[in-house]
Amino acid sequence: MGDVIPFKRKTAWQKHKGSSLCRDGFHKWQVVSERKFDVKQGKLVTEYRCERCGKTKTKLL
C-alpha cells in the first residue's frame, strides 16, 4: 500500500500571506510614466504600477 499523507489546514498567517486584495484582482494602480508616445500605434501611452504587488499595466489614450 502507498504512504498516507496527512493534510493540514492552512494557518491564518498562511491564508492571509501577501496582499489578498491584489490576488483577488483589486490592485491599487498608480501612474508611473505619463504621456509616452507609442510610434507603432501612434497613440499616447500611460503606464500604471500597483503599489502593493508591483504589477504593471499600460493604457492607450
Side-chain angles (χ1 to χ4, degrees):
M1 272 201 152
D3 295 331
V4 177
I5 302 171
F7 291 102
K8 295 190 292 184
R9 288 182 173 236
K10 289 185 177 181
T11 63
W13 181 82
Q14 290 171 336
K15 187 176 179 183
H16 299 291
K17 182 181 177 185
S19 53
S20 61
L21 287 172
C22 291
R23 279 187 283 150
D24 293 336
F26 298 100
H27 295 278
K28 190 173 183 181
W29 298 112
Q30 188 175 39
V31 177
V32 175
S33 60
E34 194 172 339
R35 307 264 183 195
K36 282 200 252 179
F37 189 75
D38 186 10
V39 178
K40 288 186 179 180
Q41 295 187 3
K43 296 182 181 179
L44 293 174
V45 178
T46 304
E47 185 178 0
Y48 296 94
R49 182 176 290 135
C50 179
E51 287 183 0
R52 291 187 284 258
C53 67
K55 186 176 181 178
T56 60
K57 74 172 183 177
T58 57
K59 185 175 181 182
L60 297 173
L61 297 176

